[in-house]
């Protein structure tokens, strides 16, 4: 029966026994290599964790190589550990190359941490977005125009990285654009891919500014190719436009002394420039009549015999001034998601795929 046994049977069921244990311990290189390998296998994940692991593995196998050459005097021990050292070095070179390839400018790294990392956007997706803008950071000097009302064509989408941009229309100040806000998100949303148009506002740099820009055609191709990026930009643009609109709500509030809400369709018509002063005042009075509080209306507890109290006389309200009309023109020229029947997503919400 023992003659028919295979080598595997001998290893599993009849293992060879050591006739004698060595009395002397192995050299210091052998024990040092074991300690380094133990530390190396405690590394984390990610590209930096992999660099840490393979760096310590390379050092540990070098210690094994020295032990096999100087202490154990075994050619096979030396050759195997030398092969392991070469494999670890090649892996390290590949990781360092990937790390250098994935390294962006400081502005792009900060942009990812500010906008994309809270949404848990994969870094590979972010690289595609940055690649579309050719990894270039453009600059505007103080008092330099990014766009001129009625002249500059809408052929790009830009995001401000640093500085401050002043937005005006017909010489009237509307609002500011701050870092990590889009410069021309309303204009981008106002046109279809096949349409052309010009800016309805003027954007002027109040300080030295840096921004990135995506060419319109290239960005449309990227959004058509990648559905996730399209949803991501839809969330960014919807939130950005809503922020611009709500920034104008306080200006409308302070002019009339009433709380106007830009989401009300009636406000859209009130703020628009009328063909004459009489038409403007008529629209404003009609809006005020619809905005009379419910407590002034007759209630169901009143009897039919009792006549309802006459409505209080409304003082004549003057026509909105030019600054408010400019705000209304901006609302009309900013056809964001609020007026398109779809609510914008907040940047803290991850777009669903």
């Amino acid at each position: 029966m023992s003659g028919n046994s295979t080598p595997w049977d001998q290893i599993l069921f009849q293992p060879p026994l050591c006739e004698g244990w060595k009395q002397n311990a192995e050299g210091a290189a052998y024990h040092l290599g074991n300690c380094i390998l133990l530390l190396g296998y405690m590394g984390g994940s990610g590209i930096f964790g992999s660099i840490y692991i393979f760096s310590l593995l390379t050092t540990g196998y070098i210690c094994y190589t020295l032990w096999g050459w100087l202490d154990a005097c075994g050619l096979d021990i030396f050759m195997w550990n030398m092969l392991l050292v070469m494999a670890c070095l090649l892996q390290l070179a590949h990781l360092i190359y990937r790390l250098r390839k994935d390294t962006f400018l400081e502005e792009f790294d900060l942009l990812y941490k500010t906008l994309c990392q809270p949404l848990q956007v994969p870094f590979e997706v972010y690289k595609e977005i940055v690649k579309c803008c050719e990894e270039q950071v453009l600059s505007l000097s103080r008092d330099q125009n990014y766009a001129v009302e009625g002249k500059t064509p809408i052929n790009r989408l830009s995001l401000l990285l640093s500085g401050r941009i002043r937005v005006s229309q017909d010489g009237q100040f509307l609002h500011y654009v701050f870092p990590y806000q889009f410069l021309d998100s309303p204009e981008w949303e106002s046109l279809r891919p096949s349409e052309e148009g010009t800016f309805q506002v003027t954007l002027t740099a109040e300080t030295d500014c840096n921004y990135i820009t995506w060419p319109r055609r290239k960005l449309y191709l990227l959004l058509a190719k990648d559905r996730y990026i399209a949803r991501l930009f839809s969330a960014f643009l919807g939130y950005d436009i809503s922020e611009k609109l709500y920034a104008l709500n306080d200006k409308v509030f302070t002019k009339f002394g009433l709380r106007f809400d830009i989401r009300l369709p009636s406000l859209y018509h009130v703020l628009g420039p009328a063909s004459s002063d009489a038409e403007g005042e008529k629209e404003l009075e009609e809006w005020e009549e619809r905005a009379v509080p419910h407590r002034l209306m007759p209630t169901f507890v009143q009897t039919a015999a009792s006549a309802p109290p006459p409505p209080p006389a409304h003082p004549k309200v003057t026509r909105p001034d030019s600054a408010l009309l400019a705000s209304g023109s901006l609302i009309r020229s900013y056809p964001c998601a609020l007026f398109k029947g779809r609510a914008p997503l907040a940047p803290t919400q991850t777009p669903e795929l």
Side-chain angles (χ1 to χ4, degrees):
M1 178 124 183
S2 61
N4 296 331
S5 60
T6 61
W8 286 108
D9 294 334
Q10 293 181 1
I11 293 175
L12 295 176
F13 302 107
Q14 298 177 357
L17 300 177
C18 295
E19 297 180 355
W21 293 90
K22 293 178 62 175
Q23 299 297 325
N24 298 328
E26 298 296 339
Y30 176 79
H31 298 287
L32 179 61
N34 287 327
C35 294
I36 294 176
L37 289 181
L38 177 63
L39 294 176
Y41 286 120
M42 296 172 63
S45 59
I47 187 169
F48 291 103
S50 299
I51 291 176
Y52 168 83
I53 291 174
F54 283 101
S55 298
L56 291 183
L57 287 182
T58 302
T59 307
Y61 289 133
I62 288 176
C63 293
Y64 280 157
T65 303
L66 294 177
W67 167 72
W69 181 262
L70 299 176
D71 214 356
C73 299
L75 184 61
D76 54 346
I77 299 176
F78 173 80
M79 292 301 298
W80 276 111
N81 285 282
M82 182 59 68
L83 288 175
L84 292 174
V85 169
M86 297 300 296
C88 292
L89 288 176
L90 290 176
Q91 186 65 26
L92 270 177
H94 174 67
L95 291 173
I96 294 174
Y97 171 77
R98 280 184 53 192
L99 182 62
R100 184 176 181 180
K101 184 179 179 181
D102 295 342
T103 302
F104 295 116
L105 298 176
E106 182 180 356
E107 291 84 356
F108 288 105
D109 289 337
L110 191 57
L111 176 63
Y112 177 76
K113 295 178 181 178
T114 304
L115 290 184
C116 297
Q117 195 170 16
L119 294 177
Q120 299 179 356
V121 177
F123 197 75
E124 297 296 327
V125 174
Y126 179 70
K127 287 196 300 181
E128 292 293 328
I129 297 175
V130 173
K131 184 180 178 181
C132 184
C133 69
E134 299 177 356
E135 302 183 21
Q136 293 183 357
V137 178
L138 307 178
S139 60
L140 285 174
S141 58
R142 186 174 181 178
D143 297 329
Q144 182 179 356
N145 289 333
Y146 170 82
V148 178
E149 178 182 350
K151 296 182 179 180
T152 305
I154 304 173
N155 55 7
R156 55 182 172 171
L157 178 66
S158 301
L159 180 71
L160 186 63
L161 297 179
S162 63
R164 186 175 63 187
I165 300 291
R166 185 177 186 269
V167 182
S168 60
Q169 187 180 53
D170 295 331
Q172 296 290 336
F173 168 75
L174 297 178
H175 64 89
Y176 285 113
V177 177
F178 296 102
Y180 303 109
Q181 291 183 347
F182 288 96
L183 296 177
D184 40 14
S185 54
E187 288 75 16
W188 175 271
E189 285 289 326
S190 65
L191 296 180
R192 297 178 181 178
S194 59
E195 295 178 343
E196 300 292 337
T198 57
F199 278 80
Q200 301 300 313
V201 293
T202 298
L203 289 87
T204 306
E206 283 209 341
T207 61
D208 294 335
C209 302
N210 293 325
Y211 68 98
I212 59 175
T213 185
W214 292 272
R216 185 182 179 192
R217 179 175 178 81
K218 290 184 64 176
L219 184 55
Y220 270 129
L221 292 176
L222 177 62
L223 298 182
K225 182 180 67 175
D226 196 313
R227 187 180 179 186
Y228 180 86
I229 297 179
R231 288 177 175 267
L232 192 64
F233 267 86
S234 178
F236 286 152
L237 291 171
Y239 178 77
D240 186 82
I241 297 174
S242 64
E243 285 292 311
K244 288 179 171 62
L245 287 172
Y246 282 116
L248 296 175
N249 202 28
D250 293 336
K251 178 181 292 189
V252 177
F253 173 81
T254 56
K255 293 295 181 181
F256 283 96
L258 299 175
R259 179 174 294 279
F260 285 154
D261 196 333
I262 60 176
R263 295 170 296 181
L264 296 176
S266 56
L267 179 62
Y268 173 83
H269 298 288
V270 170
L271 293 179
S275 58
S276 64
D277 292 342
E279 292 179 2
E281 293 180 0
K282 181 179 179 181
E283 289 182 0
L284 184 58
E285 291 176 358
E286 290 178 355
W287 186 91
E288 285 190 340
E289 290 177 0
R290 291 193 298 267
V292 174
H294 182 71
R295 59 184 177 84
L296 299 178
M297 300 298 293
T299 59
F300 66 93
V301 298
Q302 294 175 330
T303 62
S306 61
H314 295 285
K316 184 177 180 180
V317 182
T318 59
R319 179 176 170 82
D321 59 8
S322 58
L324 185 58
L325 291 180
S327 303
S329 301
L330 178 67
I331 292 177
R332 190 169 53 259
S333 63
Y334 278 15
C336 72
L338 293 175
F339 299 142
K340 289 185 178 181
R342 52 187 176 91
L345 297 176
T348 55
Q349 297 177 349
T350 304
E352 298 178 359
L353 296 181

